[in-house]
Amino acid sequence: MGGPEREHRHRVHPVTLEPDSVVARATGVEKADASCYHHQRVDRLGTGLRVTARAWDGTAEALELPGSGGWFTAVQRHPEDTAHEDPAQQGLFDALVRAAAGE
């Protein structure tokens, strides 16, 4: 679990993405560096949710809802911190905008 006393707080660390996931297609990578400030993390998945990215310690860093009929992707990190210098993180925002525009 994250928290002020743990390793997962205020750091950039590698995240592994599932190759067939929306988040991997959006970023164009299967490994990315993620900026995190965790003090909590997902413990149990809601019905139908799938973990599509994980940190080294097993923390879920992205979730998706396959078959939702829309673009349902959640990240438990801060891509906005590095999007200005990391095309993979910017790709998340670009994919969201394309999905919202119906592309």
Side-chain angles (χ1 to χ4, degrees), residues 9-28:
R9 184 113 171 128
H10 294 257
R11 69 181 294 183
V12 175
H13 63 79
V15 171
T16 302
L17 292 68
E18 292 293 322
D20 64 334
S21 64
V22 171
V23 72
R25 288 190 301 274
T27 60

Side-chain angles (χ1 to χ4, degrees), residues 83-99:
H84 68 283
E85 62 190 28
D86 183 348
Q89 301 307 323
Q90 182 60 44
L92 289 170
F93 296 106
D94 297 342
L96 174 61
V97 169
R98 285 191 305 274

